[in-house]
Amino acid sequence: MKLDSMYQDIILDHYRNPHGKGLRDGDAEVHHVNPTCGDEITLRVKLDGSTVVDVSYESQGCSISQASASVMNDLVVGRTVGEAQAVQEAFLELMQSKGQGEGDEEVLEDAVAFAGVSKYPARVKCALLGWMAWKDATAKALAEHPAVEHPAVTD
């Protein structure tokens, strides 16, 4: 099986069987829209101290934005905010590689399947929609609960 075909299968599997879909209780909620194509996501993040204990979302849009949100859920839930942020930054770097990056499979796991998406600037926004929503919701949750020590979420 060719690598591109395997990556397509990973994306389609996450699209058909999304992880984390369905809004649940959270500490913060954001709504993001990709104005280019109309994809939308409402995302909630729940933290326990500095650990991401849940990410839930409702979304509509293309298979890339839907699958990317599912993969993101797998990669951030159960990690500290700092660890999850490092994964988000690695994914952003992959998406900004314009098809030149492969991504570190040990860090990105199934998210490396989106490497080919980085060749298409219009599709990069689709792949990043859920990740940017997670970043904003996490920053909002941290700001609303300052009594708990959290690592800083950076731009």
Side-chain angles (χ1 to χ4, degrees):
M1 178 185 281
K2 292 170 59 176
L3 194 58
D4 287 343
S5 178
M6 184 179 75
Y7 284 172
Q8 277 186 323
D9 289 345
I10 290 170
I11 291 171
L12 286 174
D13 183 53
H14 276 276
Y15 172 65
R16 292 179 180 138
N17 305 294
H19 304 168
K21 193 157 188 173
L23 288 173
R24 294 176 294 281
D25 186 38
D27 296 320
E29 177 179 302
V30 298
H31 181 78
H32 281 212
V33 177
N34 179 349
T36 307
C37 64
D39 290 357
E40 294 186 41
I41 189 167
T42 299
L43 183 139
R44 291 181 184 158
V45 65
K46 184 159 186 65
L47 304 177
D48 182 6
S50 63
T51 301
V52 181
V53 293
D54 192 29
V55 174
S56 62
Y57 62 92
E58 281 298 331
S59 58
Q60 60 184 21
C62 69
S63 60
I64 291 171
S65 69
Q66 303 284 308
S68 185
S70 174
V71 169
M72 180 265 310
N73 174 278
D74 288 353
L75 289 173
V76 302
V77 171
R79 295 180 188 246
T80 66
V81 171
E83 292 167 342
Q85 181 183 3
V87 174
Q88 184 266 328
E89 289 169 359
F91 187 73
L92 178 61
E93 183 178 318
L94 177 64
M95 289 297 93
Q96 293 174 337
S97 73
K98 299 181 180 175
Q100 303 304 307
E102 295 178 7
D104 183 343
E105 193 169 354
E106 287 188 29
V107 174
L108 293 173
E109 300 175 18
D110 280 355
V112 298
F114 294 87
V117 172
S118 70
K119 297 175 193 172
Y120 308 99
R123 305 311 302 211
V124 167
K125 287 183 179 184
C126 299
L128 288 174
L129 184 65
W131 293 85
M132 296 298 107
W134 173 80
K135 182 178 176 183
D136 288 352
T138 300
K140 186 176 178 181
L142 294 173
E144 291 174 1
H145 302 282
V148 179
E149 282 296 313
H150 299 290
V153 175
T154 59
D155 287 329

